[in-house]
Amino acid sequence: MAMRVPLVAGNWKLNKTATEAYKLVADLMPGLRNIQGVEKLLCPPFTALMAVSRLIKDTDIRLGAQNMYWEEKGAYTGEISPSMLAEFCQYIILGHSERRAYFGETNEQVNRKVRAALAHHLTPVICVGETLEENEAGRAAGVVSRQVREALLGADLLAGSDPVVIAYEPVWAIGTGRAATADGVNTLIRNVIRPTIAGMFGDDLAQRVRVLYGGSVNSGNAKEFFAQPEIDGALVGGASLDARTFIGICEAAQG
Ligand code: PGA
């Protein structure tokens, strides 16, 4: 059995100025310091990356951004490149459902971003998940499998030891307070996500890739998810903005 270190990631979304971020991280640090055996990842907005990276530089807390463009440089006003982020970050969230829904991101664009991130040694946290409509039509497995496959097409995953993370986030569970069932998520990861990766890159890699759950995770329900053998951590939105709550979720991942 592959040993996968649990990962708990805070996706701050469009919240916190650099000054507010500094305060939140200062509140997080004492609690996170004592948590062993869990990788802790903070994903603030771009404008707070530098402040947060200075604060956490002597800790084991990891830093990620929430989006990125695939081009390295040039006339792309308003965009941020992989190497700009690689100065501060180890991780990059890609293909979040809010980017897909509000900014029209396609699987093909997510794929370009994934390949660009890998080329710059940023670990992509690739978000996948079906909408409520797709779920009710019994299409969750097909949609998720396709999102995973199209995000990873042509990606060079066999070189690194921990090249990608998948976050399964059913759209209907995000920010709704209506989390998926832990058992249902475990089954989808086992029957859909890992087999899709195995079909492309082999079973060994499929067993090593960490798969997170995201969607209304809080300090009350986190343990249930982490108790499932296929769930390797969480991508936490709203609950990551409160220091005590996020620390509690990281503690739950300690087992
Ligand atoms: P939520 O968001 O925890 O607020 O549901 C999760 C996410 O969108 O990553």
Side-chain angles (χ1 to χ4, degrees):
M1 267 301 263
M3 277 301 292
R4 300 184 295 259
V5 177
L7 172 64
V8 179
N11 172 14
W12 295 7
K13 308 191 182 185
L14 204 167
N15 294 289
K16 305 288 174 190
T17 64
T19 310
E20 291 164 346
Y22 200 90
K23 163 102 180 51
L24 175 55
V25 176
D27 290 344
L28 281 166
M29 289 217 299
L32 293 185
R33 189 170 294 140
N34 302 320
I35 296 171
Q36 307 289 319
V38 177
E39 206 174 358
K40 297 143 281 188
L41 168 63
L42 304 179
C43 301
F46 292 132
T47 45
L49 287 175
M50 188 184 276
V52 174
S53 84
R54 285 196 179 140
L55 254 184
I56 64 175
K57 78 172 174 352
D58 296 323
T59 74
D60 63 355
I61 302 169
R62 310 296 215 105
L63 191 60
Q66 302 170 18
N67 181 35
M68 169 195 100
Y69 195 48
W70 57 78
E71 291 291 348
E72 195 33 55
K73 60 168 95 162
Y76 304 102
T77 302
E79 294 298 323
I80 303 270
S81 79
S83 56
M84 290 172 184
L85 295 176
E87 283 193 341
F88 305 105
C89 299
Q90 299 79 42
Y91 286 89
I92 173 78
I93 297 173
L94 294 175
H96 191 280
S97 66
E98 286 150 17
R99 296 223 51 88
R100 295 177 191 261
Y102 305 140
F103 304 99
E105 260 188 44
T106 63
N107 287 343
E108 200 248 327
Q109 289 172 328
V110 174
N111 177 253
R112 292 178 81 151
K113 294 180 179 192
V114 167
R115 286 184 289 131
L118 291 169
H120 288 82
H121 306 289
L122 286 163
T123 302
V125 178
I126 303 170
C127 302
V128 297
E130 80 286 357
T131 63
L132 183 61
E133 198 189 1
E134 289 162 344
N135 183 284
E136 286 173 348
R139 294 176 49 217
V143 167
V144 170
S145 170
R146 185 167 172 196
Q147 286 174 330
V148 170
R149 192 175 60 252
E150 295 190 0
L152 294 177
L153 275 176
D156 182 14
L157 296 193
L158 295 171
S161 57
D162 186 19
V164 285
V165 174
I166 305 287
Y168 170 57
E169 300 202 306
V171 177
W172 46 269
I174 295 177
T176 58
R178 197 185 142 205
T181 65
D183 186 53
V185 173
N186 192 69
T187 303
L188 184 120
I189 297 172
R190 189 187 57 227
N191 294 350
V192 178
I193 296 182
R194 290 200 199 281
T196 303
I197 301 170
M200 299 174 78
F201 301 99
D203 199 47
D204 181 56
L205 188 100
Q207 291 302 322
R208 280 192 288 122
V209 167
R210 287 178 292 180
V211 184
L212 314 182
Y213 167 70
S216 299
V217 173
N218 57 45
S219 46
N221 64 17
K223 239 195 155 63
E224 239 177 276
F225 289 104
F226 300 153
Q228 298 288 337
E230 300 289 353
I231 302 178
D232 303 315
L235 182 55
V236 185
S240 71
L241 298 171
D242 177 74
R244 281 191 50 149
T245 307
F246 189 69
I247 292 164
I249 296 170
C250 292
E251 283 169 350
Q254 277 189 118

